[in-house]
Amino acid sequence: MNDEGTIRRRPRLKTLAAAAAGVAVVGAAVFGWIVSPPRIDDGGRTLPQAAAPELVARGKYIAELGDCVACHTTADGKPMAGGRGLETPFGMLYSTNITPDPKTGIGRYSFGAFDRAMRKGVTADGTHMYPAMPYPSYAKMSPDDMYALYVYLMKGVAPVDSPNRPSGIGFPFNQRWTLAFWNEMFLDTHPFVADAGKSEVWNRGAYLVQGLGHCGACHTPRGIGFQERAMSDTDGSGDMFLAGSKVEEWNAVNLRGLGDVDDTVELLKTGQNRFGTVSGSMTEVIHNSTQNFTDADLVAIATYLDGLPTDQPRRRTPVMPDTGVPAAMFTTRGGLAYAQFCADCHRLNGEGVAKVFPPLAGNPTVSAKDASTLVHITLTGWATAQTQAHARVFTMPGFARLGDDEIADILSFVRASWGGNATPVTAGEVKAARATLDPKVDTRPFDTPRIADVLNEPNAAQLVRGMRLNTETHTLLPKNVGNALNCSSCHLNAGTVADGSPYVGVSAFFPSYAPRAGREITLEDRINGCFLRSMNGKPLAKDGDDMKAMVAYFDWMKRETKPEDKVEGRGVGKISQAIKPDTENGAKVYAAQCAVCHGSNGEGIKDAAGAFVYPPLWGDQSFNIGAGMARTYTAAAFVKRNMPIGFHGGFPLGQGGLTDQEAVDVAEYFSHMPRPDFAPKVNDWPKDKKPADARY
């Protein structure tokens, strides 16, 4: 889950384009006359033959303040060359080429023509723009900033010969001249005027938020003409300015009194803070725009937002770690589903993982009155903003494979546990969002068992205990675990993930004969082998309640599996031993992909209370032999399919993604690091020759 949910640029543009066209056409029918385009006034400014570098640099910064690149550059296109598609109910709009190309761009624009386009939404040839281009906000720009931006686009951007694509909007909404009436009704072209009663910092923030930042385009509710209800906090409806809005299953949060200045600065600079991470198109805003702002401008924006009157609680109290787990976690379907699908990242206590996965407690998306963003993210997934502070992008995959009722159960549990008992989410809400969003659904044949179903069993309490012994092993069995591992450190999502040695069907294959050891091994033997060899601990009593609970949990996941069956997704796969490991590259892969969760020196990471979140990969608290980690290529196969998590959009953890070579390199690197010994290892090869890739 994530924080600061905001609507994507495309849905907002879709609404504005459609609304502006519709209102304008209605206006034309009513009034029946055409308004001439406003005149061009260059204010005595012309384009210099050789622009001063500092003026161009200033203009570049203003373009970043206005986030021009977001709409005027396609994913793989030349900067500012336009062509980004903006879908509307009446057809497609495409952003225009604003490079200085004289034929297809704005190379022939005078400053006056540019200024008119930016303030009044009218191009050099007199064509009206749809207010999908936020000229009502840009109208507040100072003349000096407007001129600097003009000089930058003309002198600091490479010209690109890229013809503008015609819009796909049909009659009557393609009659752009009618937009003159929309402007007449809703456009204020006056530049920003400072409030003499406020500080210089506050006024700078107001200027940026109301104008260049055009924050209201997403975060201000819309009126009958789909105009922003207020363009500033001093308008007639100023209490609506930045009060939050909703478009197409996204909820743009209320920015009024957003939080402490430092928190807002960190969010805009890095894409995350102690309350969560940004979502939707706000990730693009952070990446392209706000991370490049000066600290002074970020403080100004945060100061202005913090000063806006609000009736919502201000998030000022630090979110302290809650080491407790909600009581409903193990007694409700929503709680057990959360424990299965969400806890590996967001943790059983909802604390998340600092700088990696956002917390749920104190997260405004979780506690929002409107759960649209929460539902949207769960169905379609999410990714963190890529910034200089956080270069590694973490993803949350979409959970559209889960049923509407399952998602509703999980989100209702989350909101009840960490959202201040916010209104539950209904299956109907999820169904409606699914119909609108049409999310991609994972279709892999492997069917992840639903742990919530154990509540239907007569021995539900025993099965829940077995599941918890899996995910909280070193907490619940301190006498049997000698390091920081849990069973779920390897058997992800409570042992239900394909290719992560899932427990699905496993008990059908025991007892089994082990040719290497020359003896029959029972499921209890195998479980105790992990306690000894992976967790550097002591075995469970075979006739004890805990062992019986674990076996019962495995048996529950056996389903109809027979010993001769092949269960799709079982095991960890194989990787070719023809690949030669490069430990130097393995160290680089580890630093780039593994260290954020397992520590820069393999020491693992802990939460604020000192408990391990993700275990060490070497050292005294790591696995000693490790069932799957005793051999380089077995470890590599596990890494290839299961690590890192949050790497892509694959269900359910975004797990895996390294190449075979990278997996072998990093497996060789970390599996041969020093860790506790296991003396009985000398008995491991009584009959067969030790494999070449065994690390002992």
Side-chain angles (χ1 to χ4, degrees), residues 503-523:
Y503 300 133
V504 180
V506 68
S507 67
F509 309 130
F510 287 92
S512 64
Y513 180 75
R516 188 186 74 200
R519 64 188 178 89
E520 187 177 82
I521 297 176
T522 66
L523 181 56

Side-chain angles (χ1 to χ4, degrees), residues 77-120:
K78 299 289 183 63
M80 306 297 188
R84 181 166 181 173
L86 312 170
E87 186 179 355
T88 82
F90 309 104
M92 291 290 290
L93 277 176
Y94 296 93
S95 61
T96 56
N97 182 343
I98 57 171
T99 73
D101 181 71
K103 292 191 304 178
T104 63
I106 61 171
R108 297 185 184 278
Y109 271 55
S110 66
F111 172 67
F114 179 78
D115 185 76
R116 184 180 73 171
M118 291 289 290
R119 294 188 192 279
K120 301 177 181 179

Side-chain angles (χ1 to χ4, degrees), residues 173-499:
F173 304 105
N174 61 353
Q175 302 301 298
R176 290 176 179 256
W177 56 269
T178 62
L179 290 164
F181 299 105
W182 193 92
N183 289 347
E184 188 69 23
M185 294 170 64
F186 304 123
L187 179 63
D188 178 1
T189 61
H190 294 94
F192 174 81
V193 177
D195 184 338
K198 299 290 186 180
S199 69
E200 182 179 347
V201 172
W202 186 96
N203 276 297
R204 175 64 175 172
Y207 172 69
L208 294 174
V209 170
Q210 297 173 20
L212 277 162
H214 58 282
C215 305
C218 287
H219 292 273
T220 298
R222 298 277 160 175
I224 191 171
F226 288 88
Q227 81 287 2
E228 293 171 46
R229 291 281 298 276
M231 297 301 296
S232 75
D233 57 292
T234 58
D235 281 359
S237 299
D239 60 335
M240 302 299 292
F241 183 59
L242 305 180
S245 187
K246 177 184 176 181
V247 170
E248 295 186 346
E249 308 309 322
W250 286 99
N251 175 46
V253 297
N254 186 343
L255 298 183
R256 301 176 74 88
L258 186 60
D260 285 346
V261 168
D262 289 346
D263 288 328
T264 303
V265 167
E266 183 179 6
L267 185 76
L268 295 175
K269 189 74 173 180
T270 71
Q272 55 187 259
N273 63 18
R274 59 189 170 138
F275 296 109
T277 62
V278 297
S279 61
S281 69
M282 196 64 192
T283 57
E284 291 184 66
V285 174
I286 301 293
H287 176 73
N288 295 321
S289 184
T290 61
Q291 72 161 322
N292 300 315
F293 292 7
T294 65
D295 290 344
D297 278 348
L298 290 173
V299 169
I301 291 170
T303 300
Y304 172 69
L305 294 176
D306 186 46
L308 291 175
T310 180
D311 59 359
Q312 70 173 349
R314 295 177 184 264
R315 299 196 305 280
R316 300 206 186 281
T317 304
V319 178
M320 300 302 292
D322 178 7
T323 55
V325 175
M329 180 74 72
F330 306 113
T331 60
T332 64
R333 293 189 64 84
L336 285 172
Y338 174 89
Q340 177 178 3
F341 292 110
C342 313
D344 278 6
C345 296
H346 297 288
R347 317 312 297 161
L348 286 171
N349 61 4
E351 186 182 338
V353 182
K355 311 300 183 184
V356 183
F357 301 117
L360 302 179
N363 189 318
T365 297
V366 172
S367 59
K369 293 180 180 179
D370 187 333
S372 297
T373 294
L374 201 58
V375 175
H376 195 307
I377 291 168
T378 305
L379 284 170
T380 65
W382 147 94
T384 58
Q386 186 177 48
T387 62
Q388 295 175 21
H390 302 290
R392 161 78 151 86
V393 173
F394 286 90
T395 63
M396 170 180 157
F399 283 78
R401 180 162 182 162
L402 301 186
D404 296 337
D405 55 342
E406 292 179 285
I407 291 175
D409 286 343
I410 292 172
L411 298 185
S412 295
F413 167 79
V414 167
R415 283 164 70 80
S417 300
W418 300 292
N421 287 309
T423 306
V425 175
T426 67
E429 291 175 300
V430 179
K431 181 179 180 180
R434 189 190 297 270
T436 299
L437 298 170
D438 190 23
K440 182 179 179 181
V441 179
D442 172 78
T443 58
R444 178 168 183 172
F446 182 83
D447 184 24
T448 299
R450 306 297 200 262
I451 294 177
D453 289 342
V454 303
L455 295 177
N456 300 327
E457 302 294 339
N459 62 332
Q462 183 186 49
L463 295 174
V464 169
R465 175 69 178 178
M467 183 273 291
R468 293 189 62 186
L469 290 171
N470 226 316
T471 57
E472 304 168 78
T473 321
H474 77 278
T475 300
L476 298 179
L477 299 172
K479 295 181 179 180
N480 300 92
V481 180
N483 55 28
L485 269 68
N486 297 304
C487 299
S488 58
S489 298
C490 294
H491 304 272
L492 308 178
N493 267 27
T496 65
V497 171
D499 297 325

Side-chain angles (χ1 to χ4, degrees), residues 63-79:
E64 291 173 337
L65 291 173
D67 201 11
C68 303
V69 70
C71 286
H72 291 279
T73 305
T74 59
D76 55 354
K78 299 289 183 63

